[in-house]
Amino acid sequence: MARHVKEAWETKDIAAPVGLLDPAAVMTAGGGGTVGTVLRPVEGGPRIARYMAAIADRAPGLGLLERPVNGVPGPVARKDGAVVTVAAFDVAGRRAARIRVVRNPEKLRPWSRAHERPQTRHGS
């Protein structure tokens, strides 16, 4: 699931995520009042796919990684080396029925530390 979402994000292919989402899927997101996000749940696979495509258009430089999220593969978004979004999918059958998105920097802090790139020192 996460791999297909990543591919759709990178190609900005709206049709691809629609096939991955249950028609009655619901997406919620939390920003902790410090970063922008949806204010109400986004309901319906086609609406969620359109929302994802719109975000992809407005987020140059945002890269998606596939990482374990709540024990299953999920997309982790990074910008300028920092984790800015983590999404968890509840899958029913072969489609995502619920997507929970975390954008709150306080909640993402452990993700940022876990996914930091090791720095190399020259001359030591």
Side-chain angles (χ1 to χ4, degrees):
M1 174 79 55
R3 180 178 346 114
H4 298 298
V5 169
K6 180 180 183 295
E7 290 168 0
W9 176 273
E10 290 170 347
T11 61
K12 298 179 184 170
D13 180 3
I14 296 173
V18 171
L20 301 172
L21 300 168
D22 185 284
V26 176
M27 182 185 80
T28 56
T34 60
V35 296
T37 190
V38 295
L39 299 177
R40 289 185 231 138
V42 180
E43 298 178 351
R47 289 184 72 203
I48 294 169
R50 283 192 303 274
Y51 176 81
M52 290 169 57
I55 294 299
D57 283 342
R58 292 186 217 141
L62 189 72
L64 290 186
L65 306 170
E66 184 180 339
R67 298 289 187 260
V69 179
N70 294 339
V72 296
V76 173
R78 290 173 52 116
K79 183 164 181 146
D80 299 326
V83 174
V84 294
T85 304
V86 173
F89 295 100
D90 292 342
V91 178
R94 300 187 78 184
R95 293 183 171 190
R98 184 160 184 87
I99 304 167
R100 292 178 180 88
V101 178
V102 176
R103 300 215 47 222
N104 182 338
E106 290 296 317
K107 292 183 178 180
L108 293 174
R109 197 167 283 146
W111 281 90
S112 293
R113 284 192 298 268
H115 297 284
E116 286 177 348
R117 292 184 182 159
Q119 295 180 348
T120 58
R121 291 185 171 163
H122 298 286
S124 11

Short mmCIF file of all heavy atoms in Angstrom, two decimals, residues 31-80:
data_model
loop_
_atom_site.label_atom_id
_atom_site.label_comp_id
_atom_site.label_asym_id
_atom_site.label_seq_id
_atom_site.Cartn_x
_atom_site.Cartn_y
_atom_site.Cartn_z
N GLY A 31 -2.34 18.59 13.24
CA GLY A 31 -1.15 19.42 13.18
C GLY A 31 -0.79 20.05 14.51
O GLY A 31 0.14 20.85 14.59
N GLY A 32 -1.54 19.71 15.55
CA GLY A 32 -1.25 20.25 16.87
C GLY A 32 -1.41 21.76 16.98
O GLY A 32 -0.88 22.37 17.89
N GLY A 33 -2.12 22.35 16.03
CA GLY A 33 -2.33 23.79 16.05
C GLY A 33 -1.11 24.59 15.62
O GLY A 33 -1.12 25.81 15.67
N THR A 34 -0.04 23.89 15.20
CA THR A 34 1.18 24.60 14.83
C THR A 34 1.52 24.51 13.35
O THR A 34 2.31 25.30 12.87
CB THR A 34 2.39 24.07 15.64
OG1 THR A 34 2.55 22.68 15.37
CG2 THR A 34 2.18 24.29 17.13
N VAL A 35 0.94 23.54 12.64
CA VAL A 35 1.15 23.42 11.19
C VAL A 35 -0.19 23.20 10.52
O VAL A 35 -1.14 22.70 11.13
CB VAL A 35 2.11 22.26 10.83
CG1 VAL A 35 3.50 22.51 11.37
CG2 VAL A 35 1.59 20.93 11.32
N GLY A 36 -0.27 23.58 9.26
CA GLY A 36 -1.51 23.45 8.52
C GLY A 36 -1.86 22.01 8.23
O GLY A 36 -0.99 21.16 8.03
N THR A 37 -3.15 21.75 8.22
CA THR A 37 -3.67 20.43 7.89
C THR A 37 -5.17 20.56 7.63
O THR A 37 -5.73 21.66 7.76
CB THR A 37 -3.37 19.42 9.01
OG1 THR A 37 -3.67 18.11 8.54
CG2 THR A 37 -4.10 19.70 10.28
N VAL A 38 -5.83 19.47 7.28
CA VAL A 38 -7.28 19.51 7.07
C VAL A 38 -7.96 19.76 8.41
O VAL A 38 -7.53 19.26 9.44
CB VAL A 38 -7.81 18.23 6.41
CG1 VAL A 38 -7.25 18.07 5.02
CG2 VAL A 38 -7.54 17.00 7.23
N LEU A 39 -9.02 20.56 8.37
CA LEU A 39 -9.74 20.87 9.61
C LEU A 39 -10.82 19.85 9.92
O LEU A 39 -11.20 19.68 11.07
CB LEU A 39 -10.34 22.27 9.52
CG LEU A 39 -9.33 23.40 9.33
CD1 LEU A 39 -10.04 24.74 9.17
CD2 LEU A 39 -8.35 23.43 10.48
N ARG A 40 -11.32 19.21 8.89
CA ARG A 40 -12.35 18.18 9.05
C ARG A 40 -11.90 16.93 8.31
O ARG A 40 -11.08 17.02 7.39
CB ARG A 40 -13.67 18.66 8.44
CG ARG A 40 -14.30 19.74 9.26
CD ARG A 40 -15.66 20.11 8.70
NE ARG A 40 -15.64 21.56 8.56
CZ ARG A 40 -16.11 22.24 7.56
NH1 ARG A 40 -16.69 21.63 6.57
NH2 ARG A 40 -16.03 23.54 7.53
N PRO A 41 -12.44 15.78 8.66
CA PRO A 41 -12.08 14.56 7.93
C PRO A 41 -12.39 14.71 6.44
O PRO A 41 -13.38 15.34 6.06
CB PRO A 41 -12.96 13.48 8.56
CG PRO A 41 -13.26 14.00 9.94
CD PRO A 41 -13.36 15.50 9.78
N VAL A 42 -11.53 14.13 5.62
CA VAL A 42 -11.76 14.06 4.18
C VAL A 42 -12.37 12.69 3.94
O VAL A 42 -11.79 11.67 4.31
CB VAL A 42 -10.46 14.23 3.38
CG1 VAL A 42 -10.73 14.15 1.88
CG2 VAL A 42 -9.79 15.55 3.74
N GLU A 43 -13.55 12.67 3.35
CA GLU A 43 -14.29 11.42 3.19
C GLU A 43 -14.42 11.04 1.73
O GLU A 43 -14.72 11.88 0.88
CB GLU A 43 -15.68 11.56 3.83
CG GLU A 43 -15.59 11.83 5.32
CD GLU A 43 -16.95 12.01 5.97
OE1 GLU A 43 -17.97 12.10 5.25
OE2 GLU A 43 -16.99 12.07 7.21
N GLY A 44 -14.20 9.75 1.46
CA GLY A 44 -14.35 9.22 0.11
C GLY A 44 -13.02 9.09 -0.60
O GLY A 44 -12.23 10.02 -0.61
N GLY A 45 -12.80 7.92 -1.19
CA GLY A 45 -11.55 7.66 -1.90
C GLY A 45 -11.21 8.71 -2.95
O GLY A 45 -10.08 9.22 -2.97
N PRO A 46 -12.15 9.08 -3.83
CA PRO A 46 -11.81 10.09 -4.85
C PRO A 46 -11.43 11.45 -4.25
O PRO A 46 -10.50 12.09 -4.73
CB PRO A 46 -13.09 10.18 -5.69
CG PRO A 46 -13.75 8.85 -5.52
CD PRO A 46 -13.44 8.46 -4.09
N ARG A 47 -12.12 11.88 -3.19
CA ARG A 47 -11.79 13.17 -2.57
C ARG A 47 -10.42 13.12 -1.91
O ARG A 47 -9.64 14.08 -1.99
CB ARG A 47 -12.86 13.55 -1.55
CG ARG A 47 -14.17 13.95 -2.22
CD ARG A 47 -15.20 14.41 -1.24
NE ARG A 47 -14.80 15.73 -0.74
CZ ARG A 47 -15.20 16.22 0.41
NH1 ARG A 47 -15.99 15.53 1.20
NH2 ARG A 47 -14.80 17.41 0.79
N ILE A 48 -10.10 12.00 -1.25
CA ILE A 48 -8.79 11.86 -0.62
C ILE A 48 -7.70 11.89 -1.70
O ILE A 48 -6.68 12.56 -1.53
CB ILE A 48 -8.71 10.57 0.22
CG1 ILE A 48 -9.67 10.66 1.41
CG2 ILE A 48 -7.28 10.31 0.69
CD1 ILE A 48 -9.88 9.34 2.14
N ALA A 49 -7.91 11.19 -2.80
CA ALA A 49 -6.91 11.17 -3.88
C ALA A 49 -6.70 12.56 -4.45
O ALA A 49 -5.56 12.97 -4.69
CB ALA A 49 -7.36 10.20 -4.98
N ARG A 50 -7.77 13.32 -4.65
CA ARG A 50 -7.64 14.69 -5.16
C ARG A 50 -6.88 15.57 -4.15
O ARG A 50 -6.05 16.38 -4.54
CB ARG A 50 -9.01 15.29 -5.48
CG ARG A 50 -9.60 14.77 -6.77
CD ARG A 50 -10.80 15.56 -7.23
NE ARG A 50 -11.88 15.62 -6.27
CZ ARG A 50 -12.85 14.70 -6.13
NH1 ARG A 50 -12.85 13.64 -6.93
NH2 ARG A 50 -13.79 14.85 -5.24
N TYR A 51 -7.17 15.39 -2.87
CA TYR A 51 -6.47 16.15 -1.83
C TYR A 51 -4.97 15.83 -1.87
O TYR A 51 -4.13 16.73 -1.82
CB TYR A 51 -7.06 15.82 -0.46
CG TYR A 51 -6.34 16.50 0.67
CD1 TYR A 51 -6.61 17.83 0.99
CD2 TYR A 51 -5.37 15.82 1.40
CE1 TYR A 51 -5.93 18.47 2.02
CE2 TYR A 51 -4.69 16.45 2.43
CZ TYR A 51 -4.97 17.77 2.73
OH TYR A 51 -4.28 18.40 3.74
N MET A 52 -4.63 14.54 -1.97
CA MET A 52 -3.22 14.14 -2.02
C MET A 52 -2.52 14.75 -3.23
O MET A 52 -1.39 15.22 -3.13
CB MET A 52 -3.12 12.61 -2.03
CG MET A 52 -3.51 11.97 -0.71
SD MET A 52 -3.69 10.18 -0.79
CE MET A 52 -2.10 9.66 -1.38
N ALA A 53 -3.20 14.74 -4.37
CA ALA A 53 -2.61 15.31 -5.59
C ALA A 53 -2.40 16.81 -5.43
O ALA A 53 -1.38 17.36 -5.85
CB ALA A 53 -3.49 15.01 -6.80
N ALA A 54 -3.35 17.49 -4.81
CA ALA A 54 -3.22 18.95 -4.60
C ALA A 54 -2.05 19.25 -3.68
O ALA A 54 -1.30 20.20 -3.93
CB ALA A 54 -4.52 19.52 -4.01
N ILE A 55 -1.87 18.45 -2.64
CA ILE A 55 -0.74 18.65 -1.73
C ILE A 55 0.58 18.40 -2.47
O ILE A 55 1.54 19.15 -2.31
CB ILE A 55 -0.85 17.72 -0.50
CG1 ILE A 55 -2.05 18.12 0.35
CG2 ILE A 55 0.43 17.74 0.32
CD1 ILE A 55 -2.00 19.52 0.90
N ALA A 56 0.62 17.38 -3.31
CA ALA A 56 1.85 17.08 -4.06
C ALA A 56 2.23 18.27 -4.94
O ALA A 56 3.41 18.59 -5.08
CB ALA A 56 1.66 15.82 -4.91
N ASP A 57 1.23 18.93 -5.51
CA ASP A 57 1.50 20.11 -6.35
C ASP A 57 2.05 21.27 -5.54
O ASP A 57 2.81 22.08 -6.06
CB ASP A 57 0.23 20.56 -7.06
CG ASP A 57 -0.11 19.69 -8.26
OD1 ASP A 57 0.78 18.96 -8.74
OD2 ASP A 57 -1.27 19.73 -8.71
N ARG A 58 1.66 21.38 -4.27
CA ARG A 58 2.05 22.52 -3.43
C ARG A 58 3.26 22.24 -2.54
O ARG A 58 3.62 23.09 -1.73
CB ARG A 58 0.89 22.93 -2.53
CG ARG A 58 -0.25 23.51 -3.28
CD ARG A 58 -1.30 24.02 -2.32
NE ARG A 58 -2.60 23.75 -2.89
CZ ARG A 58 -3.65 23.36 -2.23
NH1 ARG A 58 -3.58 23.19 -0.93
NH2 ARG A 58 -4.78 23.13 -2.84
N ALA A 59 3.84 21.07 -2.68
CA ALA A 59 4.93 20.70 -1.77
C ALA A 59 6.19 20.29 -2.53
O ALA A 59 6.63 19.15 -2.44
CB ALA A 59 4.46 19.57 -0.86
N PRO A 60 6.79 21.23 -3.28
CA PRO A 60 8.02 20.86 -3.97
C PRO A 60 9.11 20.49 -2.96
O PRO A 60 9.19 21.07 -1.89
CB PRO A 60 8.39 22.12 -4.75
CG PRO A 60 7.70 23.23 -4.04
CD PRO A 60 6.46 22.64 -3.43
N GLY A 61 9.87 19.50 -3.32
CA GLY A 61 10.96 19.08 -2.44
C GLY A 61 10.55 18.11 -1.36
O GLY A 61 11.38 17.67 -0.57
N LEU A 62 9.27 17.76 -1.30
CA LEU A 62 8.79 16.81 -0.30
C LEU A 62 9.00 15.41 -0.86
O LEU A 62 8.52 15.10 -1.95
CB LEU A 62 7.32 17.05 0.00
CG LEU A 62 6.74 16.27 1.17
CD1 LEU A 62 7.30 16.82 2.48
CD2 LEU A 62 5.23 16.37 1.17
N GLY A 63 9.72 14.58 -0.13
CA GLY A 63 9.97 13.21 -0.56
C GLY A 63 9.30 12.22 0.37
O GLY A 63 9.22 12.45 1.57
N LEU A 64 8.79 11.14 -0.19
CA LEU A 64 8.16 10.10 0.61
C LEU A 64 9.08 8.90 0.73
O LEU A 64 9.69 8.48 -0.24
CB LEU A 64 6.84 9.64 -0.02
CG LEU A 64 5.68 10.60 0.01
CD1 LEU A 64 4.42 9.92 -0.54
CD2 LEU A 64 5.41 11.13 1.39
N LEU A 65 9.16 8.38 1.94
CA LEU A 65 9.88 7.15 2.23
C LEU A 65 8.87 6.13 2.69
O LEU A 65 7.85 6.47 3.28
CB LEU A 65 10.90 7.37 3.34
CG LEU A 65 11.91 8.49 3.16
CD1 LEU A 65 12.67 8.72 4.46
CD2 LEU A 65 12.86 8.15 2.04
N GLU A 66 9.15 4.87 2.46
CA GLU A 66 8.30 3.80 2.98
C GLU A 66 8.96 3.26 4.23
O GLU A 66 10.08 2.77 4.20
CB GLU A 66 8.16 2.70 1.92
CG GLU A 66 7.22 1.60 2.32
CD GLU A 66 7.12 0.53 1.25
OE1 GLU A 66 7.45 0.80 0.07
OE2 GLU A 66 6.73 -0.59 1.60
N ARG A 67 8.28 3.42 5.37
CA ARG A 67 8.82 3.00 6.66
C ARG A 67 7.73 2.30 7.47
O ARG A 67 6.54 2.53 7.24
CB ARG A 67 9.30 4.21 7.47
CG ARG A 67 10.43 4.98 6.82
CD ARG A 67 11.73 4.16 6.88
NE ARG A 67 12.86 4.91 6.42
CZ ARG A 67 13.39 4.80 5.21
NH1 ARG A 67 12.87 3.99 4.33
NH2 ARG A 67 14.45 5.50 4.87
N PRO A 68 8.10 1.47 8.45
CA PRO A 68 7.08 0.87 9.32
C PRO A 68 6.36 1.95 10.15
O PRO A 68 7.01 2.77 10.79
CB PRO A 68 7.88 -0.07 10.23
CG PRO A 68 9.17 -0.28 9.54
CD PRO A 68 9.44 0.97 8.75
N VAL A 69 5.05 1.94 10.08
CA VAL A 69 4.21 2.85 10.85
C VAL A 69 3.15 1.97 11.53
O VAL A 69 2.36 1.32 10.85
CB VAL A 69 3.53 3.92 9.96
CG1 VAL A 69 2.64 4.83 10.79
CG2 VAL A 69 4.56 4.73 9.18
N ASN A 70 3.18 1.94 12.83
CA ASN A 70 2.27 1.07 13.59
C ASN A 70 2.36 -0.38 13.13
O ASN A 70 1.36 -1.09 13.05
CB ASN A 70 0.83 1.57 13.50
CG ASN A 70 0.64 2.90 14.17
OD1 ASN A 70 1.43 3.30 15.02
ND2 ASN A 70 -0.39 3.62 13.78
N GLY A 71 3.56 -0.81 12.78
CA GLY A 71 3.78 -2.21 12.43
C GLY A 71 3.55 -2.58 10.98
O GLY A 71 3.77 -3.72 10.60
N VAL A 72 3.09 -1.65 10.16
CA VAL A 72 2.88 -1.93 8.74
C VAL A 72 3.53 -0.81 7.91
O VAL A 72 3.70 0.30 8.41
CB VAL A 72 1.39 -2.06 8.37
CG1 VAL A 72 0.75 -3.24 9.07
CG2 VAL A 72 0.62 -0.80 8.68
N PRO A 73 3.89 -1.10 6.67
CA PRO A 73 4.52 -0.05 5.86
C PRO A 73 3.61 1.16 5.70
O PRO A 73 2.40 1.02 5.46
CB PRO A 73 4.76 -0.73 4.51
CG PRO A 73 4.80 -2.19 4.83
CD PRO A 73 3.83 -2.37 5.96
N GLY A 74 4.20 2.33 5.85
CA GLY A 74 3.45 3.57 5.69
C GLY A 74 4.35 4.65 5.12
O GLY A 74 5.57 4.55 5.19
N PRO A 75 3.75 5.69 4.56
CA PRO A 75 4.56 6.77 4.02
C PRO A 75 5.02 7.75 5.11
O PRO A 75 4.26 8.13 5.99
CB PRO A 75 3.63 7.46 3.03
CG PRO A 75 2.27 7.13 3.49
CD PRO A 75 2.35 5.83 4.23
N VAL A 76 6.28 8.10 5.02
CA VAL A 76 6.88 9.10 5.90
C VAL A 76 7.42 10.19 4.97
O VAL A 76 8.23 9.91 4.10
CB VAL A 76 8.01 8.49 6.75
CG1 VAL A 76 8.74 9.57 7.54
CG2 VAL A 76 7.45 7.42 7.68
N ALA A 77 6.92 11.42 5.15
CA ALA A 77 7.32 12.52 4.28
C ALA A 77 8.43 13.33 4.93
O ALA A 77 8.35 13.67 6.11
CB ALA A 77 6.12 13.42 3.98
N ARG A 78 9.45 13.64 4.12
CA ARG A 78 10.58 14.44 4.59
C ARG A 78 10.75 15.64 3.67
O ARG A 78 10.56 15.54 2.47
CB ARG A 78 11.87 13.62 4.55
CG ARG A 78 11.90 12.53 5.59
CD ARG A 78 13.12 11.65 5.40
NE ARG A 78 14.35 12.40 5.33
CZ ARG A 78 15.35 12.33 6.20
NH1 ARG A 78 15.26 11.50 7.21
NH2 ARG A 78 16.43 13.05 6.07
N LYS A 79 11.14 16.73 4.29
CA LYS A 79 11.48 17.93 3.53
C LYS A 79 12.72 18.53 4.16
O LYS A 79 12.76 18.71 5.38
CB LYS A 79 10.33 18.93 3.55
CG LYS A 79 10.64 20.15 2.70
CD LYS A 79 9.44 20.95 2.38
CE LYS A 79 9.89 22.11 1.52
NZ LYS A 79 8.97 22.49 0.56
N ASP A 80 13.69 18.82 3.34
CA ASP A 80 14.96 19.37 3.81
C ASP A 80 15.56 18.54 4.94
O ASP A 80 16.10 19.07 5.92
CB ASP A 80 14.79 20.82 4.25
CG ASP A 80 14.31 21.72 3.12
OD1 ASP A 80 14.70 21.47 1.96
OD2 ASP A 80 13.54 22.65 3.38
#
